[in-house]
Amino acid sequence: MPRELRALVAASFDVFARAQTQQTGAFGVARASREYREALKTCIFALEDRLETQKEADAEEEGEFLDLLKVSLAIWHLCELLLLRGGARCADRGLAYDLALWLQEHYCSSLLEKTESESERLRKQQKPEQDPAFWTTVQSLVMAGNGPSAWSLLAGHSSYKSLFARDAGSLTGASMKAAFQAVQRLLLTMPGRPRDMSMEQDGPAEWKNWNDACQYLLNTDGYIKSDAGLTTLLEIMSAKEDVLKDHASSWYELMMARLFLDEPKAIAHRFEFLMANCFRAYNSNETKMGNFDCIILAIMQYDIQSALQDIIALGFSWMAAHLADLLQKSNVIVADELLPDAECILRERFVLEYAMEIGASSGMWQFAVRYYEYCPIFGAIAIRSALEREPLPTDYKTERLLAYCHGKKFLAQTQRHITLQRAQECKNKKAYASALQWMLRGNHLDDVDALCDEILEECNEKNSLTCLHEAVQFMEGHPEFARPQKLAWLVRYREFHLVLDDCESLRQRLRSDDLTNKEELENKLRFVSIEAAKRLDWLFSSAEAPKALQSEVLEQAERLLKQSPTVFGSRHLYSLMAYLQQLDRSFDSQQFYDSGSNKQLKERIESLISRNLAEAMLQEATASGCGAAATASRQGNPALIAQQPYLLPDVSFTPMED
């Protein structure tokens, strides 16, 4: 969508929203219509300015769109004149002149520019009446309702100028001067320009007096009768139909002339017939009309639904939506009549079409859903559909959509869909932490389990736990999120590997040359190893332990079982024995033992369990038999107090401390 059209959408929505919240009478509707029209004009001017700087190849397509905007502006302006003013059409005595000015602006602009430029050229000549275009230009200015400009050119007639250069006391001179002055008065007081000096104050009598003066001068003045140019000019001013047809070059110029020169009261209620008659003067019948002309005729005939349908066919739904809204507020169209094929009112149908059109453009979803809010029948469905189809490339945009949904009960499921859609986007980009976070926010626990399986599979393929660390690390800072069992297992599995990394780090320090704190490091290593054993016990005791990691968990158990003295407690070893028995009884045990290494691993672990169990039971018996002496010894030896808990494998594990 061009940026100029985006600006039009934004400006129009402000007007639309105000029109829905305020009590709009005839004055409010007319004001809103003018604001819409000004926004459309601004869009047209901005687009014209940009196209002037573009190459022709780039501007060709947008040039067609610019023409469509200009056509839409003309149609809107006409609807404002005929439909949105309120009151009876025939009661507005100045409407005929407003319609003539509308024709000037939207149909005859190029013709008027040509006439004005020709008038400027003729004014510079000494004897302009000798130019063949002189009388044609004067007559065209009169037919355009521009009496002052017509007189300005006519005053350059050499015969009139000569009256001031010599004695005009002769009979011929006096007659000529009187004729020109009479024409001057008529041209300068021509009805319709400016409007407030004619029909508004003095009523129909003003036009009748002016027309009677034209007829009288034409029929009685001898000098005018003797001058063909002045005679034709007065016939045009008297609105003689055959003369107007002879001098008009198109149907819209003829219609403009008749609107300016005919009696306003006589044509105020029959504009459609006037247009049809003028069109037939230059064409065989109305079937030759183009789409734009048909829309104009339908508006003049008050056929609103057909006009709106033709407007939609133009491909510019902006106008149909906002125009239908104002027409309903003006009671031009019925507010509660359902369309049989759409099951909604006419206004809602056009607003829906417009909102769908702008919603298809990038970044315009917020305007689309706001328009949907004013559609009582299909608005909620359309909002859900628009939000669910909106792409979510960033977290920021997702948050904006969720903020819109917040507090709206009918969008509760849409919120969950948005979070899942964003999670899928992150998952496709391998951003597993973000994907898990969005799934948990939307409470998509089944999808969390599926993603956990994918993370483990990728870890196996790459033989690395990097993606696992990145995926679940964020859980440390979000205790408010629910933890499904499989995700909780992954979090503990990551913690277990972090503890193993600490063990390896301590072993490397023990192998270094500096052994001044060897005893302290050995105590720390034993404590960390005991913590690893506790976490390992939780991992193979969980029902959510992935089968793909059975071998890896048993290998880690073997490494810890090889340490002496044992780091396992007796209950941990019994749990490990139960886990091995469960492996034997499981349905897929054969699949596990198909690998000879797994079978040998199990046998080695079973042989190590017996030694570790004996050591664990001995340690536990020794610890429980210390009695009062052990208690007194601990009270007198602070160092032993710090070391003693590390030797108790039954103590439930706590976060590690250095």
Side-chain angles (χ1 to χ4, degrees):
M1 181 182 292
R3 61 177 180 270
E4 295 84 6
L5 194 54
R6 290 176 181 268
L8 173 64
V9 171
S12 302
F13 178 74
D14 290 340
V15 181
F16 180 82
R18 276 189 277 111
Q20 312 311 309
T21 56
Q22 299 174 357
Q23 293 294 332
T24 53
F27 175 76
V29 169
R31 179 179 178 181
S33 176
R34 288 193 298 271
E35 290 180 357
Y36 281 130
R37 188 155 53 90
E38 287 302 318
L40 185 55
K41 278 185 178 180
T42 302
C43 177
I44 291 173
F45 294 153
L47 189 57
E48 284 179 335
D49 292 341
R50 181 164 63 85
L51 292 182
E52 287 179 358
T53 61
Q54 287 186 355
K55 297 179 181 179
E56 292 185 4
D58 299 333
E60 182 177 356
E61 183 176 350
E62 289 190 330
E64 295 178 358
F65 180 67
L66 178 61
D67 293 337
L68 174 61
L69 292 182
K70 291 180 178 179
V71 167
S72 302
L73 177 63
I75 296 173
W76 186 285
H77 193 182
L78 180 64
C79 291
E80 183 179 312
L81 293 176
L82 299 181
L83 306 175
L84 300 178
R85 282 185 170 182
R89 180 190 293 185
C90 58
D92 192 345
R93 294 187 294 268
L95 182 57
Y97 300 118
D98 288 336
L99 190 56
L101 294 175
W102 174 84
L103 282 169
Q104 279 189 1
E105 180 179 353
H106 301 289
Y107 269 99
C108 306
S109 56
S110 59
L111 176 64
L112 292 178
E113 289 177 3
K114 181 180 178 181
T115 303
E116 288 293 339
S117 62
E118 193 70 12
S119 176
E120 289 293 330
R121 183 184 67 83
L122 292 170
R123 287 193 188 99
K124 298 176 182 179
Q125 298 182 13
Q126 291 294 326
K127 294 184 177 182
E129 72 277 4
Q130 295 180 0
D131 193 300
F134 176 76
W135 286 109
T136 304
T137 304
V138 173
Q139 293 158 6
S140 296
L141 289 171
V142 172
M143 293 174 68
N146 198 347
S149 294
W151 169 249
S152 177
L153 179 58
L154 185 59
H157 196 290
S158 59
S159 299
Y160 178 70
K161 290 191 295 184
S162 65
L163 296 174
F164 300 95
R166 59 183 176 83
D167 184 14
S170 64
L171 183 61
T172 303
S175 175
M176 183 188 304
K177 186 175 183 180
F180 272 102
Q181 288 177 343
V183 172
Q184 177 187 12
R185 285 193 298 273
L186 291 174
L187 290 176
L188 295 180
T189 59
M190 189 173 177
R193 187 186 291 268
R195 179 177 168 181
D196 58 349
M197 294 178 60
S198 55
M199 297 296 101
E200 287 297 307
Q201 294 181 0
D202 300 322
E206 178 69 18
W207 177 89
K208 188 176 186 306
N209 293 335
W210 184 85
N211 185 263
D212 288 345
C214 291
Q215 297 279 1
Y216 179 80
L217 188 63
L218 175 63
N219 296 325
T220 60
D221 193 284
Y223 180 77
I224 289 179
K225 287 183 177 181
S226 64
D227 191 295
L230 288 174
T231 301
T232 304
L233 180 62
L234 264 295
E235 289 176 342
I236 290 175
M237 294 168 66
S238 301
K240 289 193 174 182
E241 187 172 350
D242 54 340
V243 179
L244 291 176
K245 287 182 181 180
D246 291 339
H247 287 80
S249 59
S250 59
W251 71 265
Y252 43 84
E253 186 181 5
L254 175 60
M255 183 176 179
M256 176 182 64
R258 294 192 61 181
L259 287 169
F260 274 124
L261 301 171
D262 271 348
E263 183 180 3
K265 183 178 179 180
I267 59 175
H269 60 287
R270 58 184 185 92
F271 294 128
E272 62 273 24
F273 301 110
L274 177 62
M275 178 179 175
N277 290 335
C278 292
F279 189 85
R280 281 195 297 268
Y282 298 89
N283 301 274
S284 57
N285 52 56
E286 289 89 339
T287 59
K288 302 290 185 179
M289 285 186 177
N291 193 20
F292 176 52
D293 298 332
C294 289
I295 295 174
I296 300 304
L297 184 60
I299 294 172
M300 291 183 176
Q301 291 173 340
Y302 228 72
D303 188 359
I304 307 304
Q305 188 162 343
S306 297
L308 289 174
Q309 293 288 358
D310 291 338
I311 289 170
I312 283 289
L314 290 176
F316 190 46
S317 58
W318 174 90
M319 182 169 58
H322 296 97
L323 184 59
D325 178 62
L326 293 185
L327 290 174
Q328 179 174 306
K329 295 183 184 307
S330 301
N331 298 319
V332 176
I333 58 178
V334 182
D336 55 355
E337 181 179 353
L338 297 180
L339 297 175
D341 57 337
E343 298 183 356
C344 64
I345 61 175
L346 189 66
R347 168 191 173 275
E348 180 168 345
R349 175 186 172 182
F350 291 134
V351 171
L352 285 170
E353 290 184 7
Y354 171 63
M356 284 189 288
E357 182 178 317
I358 62 175
S361 299
S362 175
M364 302 299 288
W365 65 270
Q366 62 271 35
F367 290 109
V369 296
R370 292 298 302 277
Y371 275 103
Y372 288 140
E373 290 176 1
Y374 297 101
C375 299
I377 298 179
F378 295 110
I381 299 174
I383 289 174
R384 285 194 292 265
S385 176
L387 294 178
E388 290 175 0
R389 289 184 289 106
E390 188 66 21
L392 302 172
T394 63
D395 289 347
Y396 174 73
K397 184 174 182 180
T398 307
E399 293 288 1
R400 291 187 64 188
L401 265 69
L402 292 176
Y404 176 81
C405 297
H406 181 70
K408 299 178 176 67
K409 292 183 178 180
F410 73 98
L411 293 178
Q413 289 300 320
T414 305
Q415 280 183 288
R416 298 190 74 243
H417 178 86
I418 290 172
T419 55
L420 181 59
Q421 182 180 348
R422 179 56 187 160
Q424 293 296 335
E425 291 280 344
C426 296
K427 175 182 168 184
N428 295 337
K429 297 177 181 177
K430 303 294 184 181
Y432 294 127
S434 296
L436 281 173
Q437 186 172 357
W438 285 112
M439 288 177 182
L440 291 172
R441 284 185 62 176
N443 202 30
H444 302 283
L445 302 185
D446 291 339
D447 296 282
V448 170
D449 290 344
L451 182 56
C452 289
D453 292 335
E454 291 189 26
I455 293 172
L456 290 175
E457 183 178 352
E458 184 171 337
C459 289
N460 288 335
E461 291 176 356
K462 296 182 178 180
N463 196 23
S464 171
L465 296 177
T466 303
C467 61
L468 174 62
H469 290 309
E470 294 175 352
V472 300
Q473 186 176 6
F474 81 96
M475 292 295 295
E476 297 176 357
H478 293 278
E480 73 278 6
F481 286 151
R483 293 197 180 190
Q485 292 184 355
K486 187 167 291 187
L487 178 60
W489 194 93
L490 281 184
V491 173
R492 293 290 182 87
Y493 184 67
R494 172 179 174 270
E495 292 175 354
F496 171 68
H497 275 276
L498 292 177
V499 174
L500 291 181
D501 292 342
D502 290 341
C503 289
E504 185 61 29
S505 176
L506 290 171
R507 290 192 186 95
Q508 291 179 1
R509 292 175 63 184
L510 282 171
R511 287 194 292 267
S512 65
D513 296 334
D514 185 10
L515 300 178
T516 55
N517 56 346
K518 180 178 180 181
E519 184 178 358
E520 181 182 355
L521 290 177
E522 288 178 346
N523 290 335
K524 284 186 177 182
L525 177 59
R526 179 165 178 77
F527 168 69
V528 175
S529 298
I530 291 173
E531 292 293 331
K534 293 176 182 178
R535 283 166 169 77
L536 184 63
D537 172 64
W538 189 93
L539 291 177
F540 57 65
S541 299
S542 173
E544 294 296 328
K547 295 178 182 179
L549 294 178
Q550 288 175 338
S551 299
E552 202 273 341
V553 171
L554 290 177
E555 288 173 359
Q556 297 296 342
E558 182 185 17
R559 293 190 185 96
L560 292 174
L561 287 169
K562 289 180 179 180
Q563 295 188 25
S564 182
T566 183
V567 294
F568 285 94
S570 60
R571 65 184 181 87
H572 301 151
L573 293 169
Y574 284 124
S575 296
L576 179 56
M577 293 170 62
Y579 178 70
L580 294 176
Q581 292 175 359
Q582 184 180 355
L583 277 179
D584 293 336
R585 293 193 298 267
S586 63
F587 291 105
D588 54 354
S589 60
Q590 187 61 40
Q591 181 180 356
F592 177 75
Y593 290 128
D594 283 344
S595 174
S597 59
N598 287 341
K599 187 174 183 180
Q600 295 172 4
L601 175 63
K602 176 178 176 291
E603 293 173 353
R604 291 196 302 270
I605 290 176
E606 288 175 340
S607 64
L608 289 170
I609 286 177
S610 58
R611 178 185 64 80
N612 280 264
L613 185 58
E615 291 182 5
M617 294 177 69
L618 182 60
Q619 289 178 4
E620 292 168 5
T622 303
S624 62
C626 289
T631 303
S633 176
R634 286 196 298 271
Q635 290 176 350
N637 191 346
L640 186 58
I641 294 175
Q643 297 175 12
Q644 190 67 21
Y646 307 156
L647 303 177
L648 298 178
D650 285 332
V651 178
S652 60
F653 70 85
T654 57
M656 290 182 358
E657 298 177 357
D658 290 337

